[in-house]
Every structure is written in structure tokens, then in C-alpha cells.
Amino acid sequence: MDVKTLCLGALTERDLTGYEIKQHFEEAYSHFFVAGYGSIYPALADLTRRGLVCCTSVPQEKRPDKKVYSLTKTGRDALIAELMATPPRHKVRSEFLVLMVFAHLLPPEKVAEIAEAMVAQWDALLTSIDQCMSEDQGCFSPGMRFAIGYGKTVVGAARSYVDDNKEQLIATIQEETASDEAAD
Amino acid sequence: MDVKTLCLGALTERDLTGYEIKQHFEEAYSHFFVAGYGSIYPALADLTRRGLVCCTSVPQEKRPDKKVYSLTKTGRDALIAELMATPPRHKVRSEFLVLMVFAHLLPPEKVAEIAEAMVAQWDALLTSIDQCMSEDQGCFSPGMRFAIGYGKTVVGAARSYVDDNKEQLIATIQEETASDEAAD
DNA sequence: CTCAGCATGTAATGCGTTACATGATTGA
DNA sequence: TCAATCATGTAACGCATTACATGCTGAG
């Protein structure tokens, strides 16, 4: 599964431009999938070439044309086939946790700064998840609600864990730093 | 930050072979960083060339030589510089949640199967985290303990959320499927 | 006899990230 | 006037995944 699949998925709800698909990624999918213009536009071009979406140029006043994409029947079938064939994976790559693992090699103030920055990032993410949830006027799919609930729960748990345990970690490495210096 | 940094990090504890580094990734880092031989061996070769690690061939009985890597002073400094310069990121890419978002396009039994498979994967991960924790004879860094605690908490929360909410999701899409068919 | 574990690597391919490139409008 | 928003794309680079390639040992 790649960005193409997500583009097809986004188009099941309604027709969208590439730009709007990017927004969609940032709003609704941000806590579990990221994609930038550099992936989305080439994906859309490829999907058009393969007939899975079709593209209509809509002239606009005072703006260049926009390209509105819509899902074809073939595209819908391809999406379902792709979903049926996708094994459920969930990958995390956390440079933050790597930094924490080697916290004892860093100045304690730096560790505190890193932990606070991470908590702030998660707070921002939680705010955007809440906002997303409040925009649901019965129009979200049940799965979308499930994913939003997941985000609130799991990102919330991560945020709290770090917030609750960072002081302890910093205190421990501070002790170690002190005893290392005494040993010199 | 890339696989190279993690290799340097692993070598702060003790000298290791490429094979052992891979084990290390699977045991201690599995819930937040993945790397295979195809990344580790080239990384080690590059680090050796740049003088950040040094490599000793150890002849073995009844086995080919193994290459034991150790961190040089330069390597240690480079690791710390790299850590200091790394902004704390935490990226999730969940094909599982994508599948859930589009659950209404799939047969309910398939959705159940996917959710159960994910829960089973997380159970396996939790088991390996627990095993890792039980192997700590006071030899882990405080940061490693922090990361393990994080894993237990957050993976546990994910597992529970999915286990507690999957029935509800499946029930909802079953209703929808039924009313869609009635409409036909 | 077969499978799992130890042990090291290469090569191709695919994918995403990042930076680059453009340009009009609107609100502060 | 400056930044943000709308809007679309290309190109280079880096990185990881995957498959391939090899070969011995010990346990069951």
C-alpha cells in the first residue's frame, strides 16, 4: 500500500484536487500516514494514466485552472482489491525514542528540551484530531471515527507517558553525570 | 538520523558483530525502529571507512571468521554530535488504520480478521518487550528503561483500543451493508 | 534429513523526501 | 509590503526493502 491507494481512498468520499487531497492528509490522516505534494501529484498522474481516476480541468476566475479528480469504476475496484490484499501493518519510526535511549550521552537540559518539544508536538496533533472530530457532521465513515478514536487514545497515552516520566529520567541521568564527574 | 546512528549507539554498550546488532534491533529497538541486514551491513562498512568504528576479524572454530565492531573515540563524538543535531520526530505509518478507515468497503469478516491479526501482532510485540524488560540486570541505560516503559504503555493502549472497539465498528458496517443491500 | 541458527554480504528496485520552480490573490 | 493561501508540478537524492547468494553446525 502506498500513497496511490490513499489518494483513491480519499476520492471515495468526493471529488478533490491534488491540493485538497494534501489537506485531507494533513487533517484526517496526519496521525497515521504522511504524504507531501512530491508524492501526491505524481501518484495522481499515474492513476490518471492507468484510468483509475479521471481528471477534469475546471477553469476558475482570477486563478489558474484546477484539476479535479474523480474515482472511476475501475479505480474503485482496484482500491478494494488493493485493500483486500494489504496485510495489516503498523510501523513506528521514532527518532525521539532513539534520543531517549541515549539520553545519558546528552546534557540533561537538552534531554528536557527534547521531551518538552515532543510533548508539544503531540499536543498539536491532539488538537488537530479534536478539531477533525468536531467537524464530523455525521459524514465520516465508521472506520474514520474508529481511526480518530485510536489517535486520541494512543497519542494521548504517549503524551502522558512522556510527560509523567521525563522528570524521573532526567533526575537519573543527572545523578549519573554527577558521579561520573566525581570519578574524574 | 539513520541506521548508522543506531549502529553507533548499539556499540556504546559493547562490541558487537553485524549479526548481533541485528538481534539488538529486533529485541530492544523493535517497537520504534526497524532495520534489516540490507541496511546494517552497508552502514557498518561505511562507518569503518570513515573511521567511526573499527573492525576486528575474529577467527572461530568450525565457523567462518566473524567481524567484531567497536566504537572509536571519533565515532563516539560523531554519535553525540548527531544526537545533539537530531530534532525529535516520531513517525507512524499505519496500513492497518488505513484499512480501518475504509472498512465499509470491505466484507465485515475481513475487517474482523484484520483487527484480530493486528491485536495478535501487538501481543507478540508486548511479549518481546516484557522479555526484554526481564533481561535487564541493572545493565540498561535509564533511557532504555524509559523507552521500554513507553512501549508497554503505548502499544498496550493501542492493543486495548482495537480490541475494545472492533466489535462496535464491525456491527456498524454490518448494518450499513444490510441497508445498502435492501436499497438494491 | 531437515530446519533453525550463525554469519556476511551485494544488487536492484521502489519509494518518499526535499528542494526547486512559478505565480496570482487576499488580508494584515 | 509581507506572509499566507490557492494551485501544480519536476528532479535529484537518499534510503530502505527485498531478493539473491553462500555455507557450516547442531538439534530433533
Side-chain angles (χ1 to χ4, degrees), chain A residues 1-4 6-7 21-40 91 93 121 125, chain B residues 89-95 98:
Chain A
M1 179 187 305
D2 56 11
V3 175
K4 282 166 205 155
L6 268 281
C7 289
I21 289 176
K22 172 77 191 321
Q23 315 267 287
H24 214 273
F25 271 87
E26 268 164 11
E27 284 155 21
Y29 305 151
S30 59
H31 65 99
F32 61 89
F33 211 99
V34 290
Y37 293 123
S39 317
I40 293 168
K91 220 179 286 181
R93 187 189 184 105
Q121 272 180 53
L125 188 54
Chain B
R89 287 201 226 160
H90 184 88
K91 222 178 287 181
V92 176
R93 187 189 183 106
S94 178
E95 295 173 1
V98 174

Side-chain angles (χ1 to χ4, degrees), chain B residues 20-143:
Chain B
E20 287 170 322
I21 289 175
K22 171 78 191 322
Q23 316 267 286
H24 215 274
F25 271 86
E26 268 163 13
E27 284 156 21
Y29 305 152
S30 60
H31 65 100
F32 61 90
F33 211 99
V34 290
Y37 293 125
S39 316
I40 292 168
Y41 284 116
L44 252 12
D46 187 60
L47 292 170
T48 306
R49 196 173 43 71
R50 291 195 294 155
L52 303 185
V53 299
C54 77
C55 166
T56 317
S57 268
V58 176
Q60 296 182 109
E61 283 167 34
K62 313 207 180 188
R63 283 199 186 281
D65 290 8
K66 59 176 170 182
K67 291 185 174 181
V68 178
Y69 293 91
S70 57
L71 196 60
T72 64
K73 176 80 177 76
T74 321
R76 198 182 173 83
D77 293 344
L79 169 62
I80 292 171
E82 177 75 29
L83 295 175
M84 290 293 287
T86 299
R89 287 201 226 160
H90 184 88
K91 222 178 287 181
V92 176
R93 187 189 183 106
S94 178
E95 295 173 1
F96 162 68
L97 285 174
V98 174
L99 291 168
M100 291 300 101
V101 166
F102 302 113
H104 57 288
L105 303 174
L106 299 171
E109 319 83 63
K110 179 74 182 179
V111 177
E113 187 195 309
I114 292 168
E116 275 148 35
M118 198 66 237
V119 169
Q121 271 182 54
W122 278 327
D123 280 333
L125 188 54
L126 286 166
T127 304
S128 97
I129 292 173
D130 279 334
Q131 199 194 318
C132 187
M133 204 181 323
S134 69
E135 275 163 13
D136 177 15
Q137 310 298 343
C139 58
F140 284 170
S141 70

Side-chain angles (χ1 to χ4, degrees), chain A residues 17-19 37 41 60 63 66-67 69 93:
Chain A
T17 66
Y19 189 81
Y37 293 123
Y41 284 116
Q60 297 184 110
R63 282 199 186 281
K66 59 176 170 183
K67 291 185 174 180
Y69 293 89
R93 187 189 184 105

